[in-house]
Amino acid sequence: MLFPYLYRTRFDDTLAFFHPLTFDVLFMKGEPDDAAVEETAALAGLSRHWCVEEDFSYDSYIDGFLSDTFYGRIDIRILKMFTTTKCNLNCAYCLIEKNLETRGKKCRNLSLEDAEGVIDRFSRLCRSQDRAKRTIMLYGGEPLMNRETVFAVIRKIRHMEKEDAFNGPVEIDLECNGTLVTEDDAVFLREHGVFILISIDGIREVHDTYRRTRDGKGSYEAARAGYETLIRAGCTAVISSVFTDRYAENLDACLSAMTQDLKPKSIGLNLFHVLEEREIENDHTMDLMDRYEQAFLKAREEGLYIEHIMRRIRPLADKKIRVSDCGACGSRIVSDVEGRIGICEGLVGDDRYFLKREDYADVKKDPEFRRWSVRTPLKMEGCIGCRAMGICGGGCVSNALRQNHELYSPDRYICESSKMFTDLALKIWWNTVKAVMEEKKETVHLLSDEERGSLLGVLQRSFDIPLQTVSKQFEKRIR
Ligand code: SF4
Ligand code: SF4
């Protein structure tokens, strides 16, 4: 029989059949019945995943695949380190500061002593695990509010790395708002091989709507100056943005500012992180999906790599399942400003999730880490059989918890956008294939690898930008 979760959609007189885990697409004219599809799939060499036994068990099928992935493993490769929770800005949608306020926590800097303790313990953990590339993300608040500690940590990491203290090379990423970057900082960061992510929301009018200083002034000029200082110094700096209502309204201008003016190698375009017990001003994410789709269409024409969208597109282009969407599902620890360890930055300040640990390997026995390590849409009720189950990874766990109060449930924002991008991919592929079918008078057509590539437009497949190891680690092809 046919694999039970093939997705079918019609284009003109042609039905498209899409396998949500192998991403193969078969176009067939007319109204073929299951037997005809099965026969065609077999002739196209797709039997292995398209034609299954009558007693097919999805659970065994997917468990076989997952056993060869990170699923259920706690193999920590990423340290996300809060260097401070203080910030010179007061962005309207800040996940960290707003949640800390709700949780009654004061903002403060990480001390040098605690910072060194975190790095030493992370190194011990890395040495107790298999060799692998590590990623240390220096985060805040605004990390440059605690510049001396941040720079001391960077020096220490690079020094320890030379002695192979992390059992693998280390990528260091600094996530900052750009406004405090000096020429000296830029030289230091370049010399120490630090990748920098600067928060800029497109153009001044958009950026300054929500990213304001504490006394209500816009921060665009200063953020942009910081970015330019880094680029002039030869740093690898990219731009991270939030997809707000204002960004959506000014989409063309925002993306043109990236492709024609600032020209970063890539940008992030985050959908909102949901806050604990409070609404974000003007969060209309669900109504802005068509604009998010437009962002990708423009980006694929102009060669702008939008990391958060490519997390959905890349699996479709490379035929790799995205098992989970966030390192918090088994490969990441987060340290807070008191040197405690937790699972997710969205939960910082919540004492149930952040604990003092002498031995970081203890997280491997922690029930919460274990529960998160098996969170994948491939096993979630309500997700199994969804056309986008191979690309969404279930989205942000913290969002799912806030939106549904249930760990094994979808992040609604990523869910909606993943379905949308699946439909868009099928539409793009159909537009690529239909002329070929007409010209050759074909009644059946299997999407070729070359045709699959049309999804990417002029986008490059991969290049040297921050956080790519982290972003791709949960992507794997089903054999
Ligand atoms: S989270 Fe949404 S997109 Fe992902 S599998 Fe579940 S229902 Fe589908
Ligand atoms: S679950 Fe969401 S908030 Fe938490 S670490 Fe992952 S992406 Fe960030």
Side-chain angles (χ1 to χ4, degrees):
M1 66 174 202
L2 275 177
F3 178 73
Y5 304 127
L6 282 185
Y7 176 64
R8 295 159 168 82
T9 188
R10 177 163 287 287
F11 296 107
D12 308 329
D13 61 347
T14 302
L15 264 175
F17 296 86
F18 170 70
H19 193 302
L21 298 174
T22 65
F23 310 107
D24 288 311
V25 192
L26 202 50
F27 295 94
M28 294 178 74
K29 288 212 182 284
E31 295 285 351
D33 59 18
D34 279 11
V37 179
E38 218 178 317
E39 194 184 329
T40 309
L43 285 171
L46 300 175
S47 298
R48 181 166 162 66
H49 293 286
W50 286 54
C51 312
V52 298
E53 299 296 326
E54 289 295 327
D55 61 353
F56 172 75
S57 153
Y58 172 79
D59 287 344
S60 321
Y61 175 77
I62 209 66
D63 285 347
F65 165 69
L66 290 171
S67 64
D68 198 23
T69 69
F70 276 94
Y71 171 81
R73 271 201 249 162
I74 300 181
D75 180 2
I76 304 295
R77 297 179 177 202
I78 309 158
L79 166 65
K80 187 147 192 169
M81 193 171 180
F82 275 92
T83 54
T84 181
T85 41
K86 292 185 182 175
C87 188
N88 58 325
L89 301 187
N90 183 24
C91 301
Y93 41 66
C94 177
L95 173 72
I96 305 309
E97 188 162 310
K98 309 293 174 213
N99 277 350
L100 286 172
E101 262 172 38
T102 305
R103 292 168 190 151
K105 299 280 175 177
K106 289 231 158 52
C107 292
R108 50 166 282 195
N109 285 342
L110 175 70
S111 70
L112 182 57
E113 191 190 348
D114 281 340
E116 290 184 336
V118 169
I119 296 298
D120 287 335
R121 289 186 192 95
F122 182 60
S123 150
R124 278 207 292 282
L125 173 65
C126 294
R127 281 181 278 126
S128 72
Q129 301 185 137
D130 289 345
R131 193 164 183 78
K133 179 177 170 185
R134 314 293 169 191
T135 303
I136 300 182
M137 302 156 80
L138 303 171
Y139 193 59
E142 167 48 44
L144 293 179
M145 299 275 288
N146 194 12
R147 184 182 272 104
E148 272 157 34
T149 299
V150 168
F151 286 10
V153 164
I154 292 169
R155 276 190 217 99
K156 181 175 168 74
I157 296 167
R158 287 293 177 235
H159 175 74
M160 289 172 70
E161 186 188 23
K162 282 195 192 115
E163 292 163 4
D164 202 20
F166 300 99
N167 199 18
V170 183
E171 173 178 327
I172 308 178
D173 300 287
L174 175 69
E175 298 179 48
C176 67
N177 64 35
T179 60
L180 302 178
V181 173
T182 66
E183 304 272 348
D184 288 349
D185 295 342
V187 171
F188 175 89
L189 294 169
R190 188 201 60 225
E191 285 176 353
H192 289 79
V194 178
F195 286 165
I196 307 108
L197 294 94
I198 300 278
S199 307
I200 298 180
D201 289 351
I203 54 173
R204 181 196 314 271
E205 298 85 309
V206 172
H207 181 100
D208 286 349
T209 306
Y210 297 122
R211 291 192 186 271
R212 291 175 173 271
T213 59
R214 306 232 153 239
D215 53 4
K217 298 201 181 85
S219 62
Y220 175 82
E221 249 349 289
R224 180 185 173 127
Y227 171 75
E228 286 172 343
T229 300
L230 291 164
I231 295 296
R232 261 198 319 276
C235 295
T236 298
V238 298
I239 288 177
S240 172
S241 320
V242 178
F243 190 65
T244 58
D245 53 346
R246 296 280 289 138
Y247 199 108
E249 279 162 26
N250 294 277
L251 187 69
D252 284 348
C254 287
L255 295 180
S256 296
M258 296 299 119
T259 55
Q260 287 161 33
D261 186 8
L262 295 176
K263 299 185 180 157
K265 278 185 171 177
S266 71
I267 66 165
L269 195 50
N270 285 279
L271 298 179
F272 276 129
H273 281 296
V274 180
L275 304 180
E276 185 174 17
E277 290 172 24
R278 62 163 98 179
E279 298 281 316
I280 299 178
E281 193 186 328
N282 298 329
D283 178 357
H284 303 302
T285 306
M286 296 298 267
D287 301 327
L288 299 176
M289 286 296 160
D290 59 329
R291 300 304 290 157
Y292 206 48
E293 179 179 289
Q294 285 302 316
F296 171 64
L297 290 172
K298 187 167 165 75
R300 78 186 265 281
E301 265 175 29
E302 301 194 7
L304 178 66
Y305 196 94
I306 304 181
E307 167 57 23
H308 294 88
I309 293 182
M310 292 310 288
R311 289 179 194 170
R312 313 300 147 218
I313 299 298
R314 213 167 46 216
L316 292 163
D318 294 346
K319 299 177 84 175
K320 288 184 175 167
I321 300 174
R322 192 165 171 87
V323 175
S324 301
D325 208 27
C326 172
C329 297
S331 75
R332 150 143 77 159
I333 50 174
V334 181
S335 63
D336 72 6
V337 283
E338 286 155 43
R340 300 180 306 177
I341 292 296
I343 197 163
C344 151
E345 68 255 22
L347 299 171
V348 73
D350 186 332
D351 296 336
R352 288 170 301 173
Y353 292 98
F354 278 77
L355 303 173
K356 269 273 180 223
R357 295 182 195 273
E358 268 314 304
D359 183 355
Y360 287 1
D362 286 351
V363 299
K364 299 186 184 219
K365 293 177 266 166
D366 183 303
E368 208 59 46
F369 276 78
R370 298 221 64 82
R371 274 160 43 78
W372 285 47
S373 76
V374 292
R375 181 184 181 275
T376 171
L378 305 173
K379 301 277 278 183
M380 273 161 27
E381 212 181 306
C383 288
I384 297 169
C386 166
R387 63 192 182 281
M389 68 175 167
I391 71 165
C392 74
C396 165
V397 192
S398 166
N399 272 10
L401 283 171
R402 303 271 161 262
Q403 291 166 336
N404 319 309
H405 308 286
E406 163 56 41
L407 181 67
Y408 302 121
S409 71
D411 162 359
R412 273 191 249 147
Y413 298 163
I414 300 293
C415 173
E416 191 69 15
S417 67
S418 300
K419 289 177 186 166
M420 177 191 78
F421 283 125
T422 304
D423 294 342
L424 177 67
L426 287 165
K427 214 184 297 170
I428 289 174
W429 287 329
W430 166 242
N431 284 331
T432 305
V433 156
K434 92 176 154 190
V436 179
M437 287 185 77
E438 266 162 33
E439 195 192 315
K440 296 189 179 168
K441 304 210 178 330
E442 289 176 337
T443 53
V444 165
H445 188 97
L446 173 66
L447 186 77
S448 70
D449 287 347
E450 200 188 331
E451 289 158 350
R452 180 174 298 280
S454 63
L455 178 60
L456 293 173
V458 302
L459 289 166
Q460 288 182 51
R461 265 197 147 73
S462 76
F463 47 99
D464 193 20
I465 51 175
L467 298 173
Q468 287 305 283
T469 312
V470 168
S471 179
K472 292 177 182 169
Q473 80 176 78
F474 290 116
E475 291 170 14
K476 192 160 174 103
R477 194 180 272 233
I478 195 165
R479 298 273 167 213

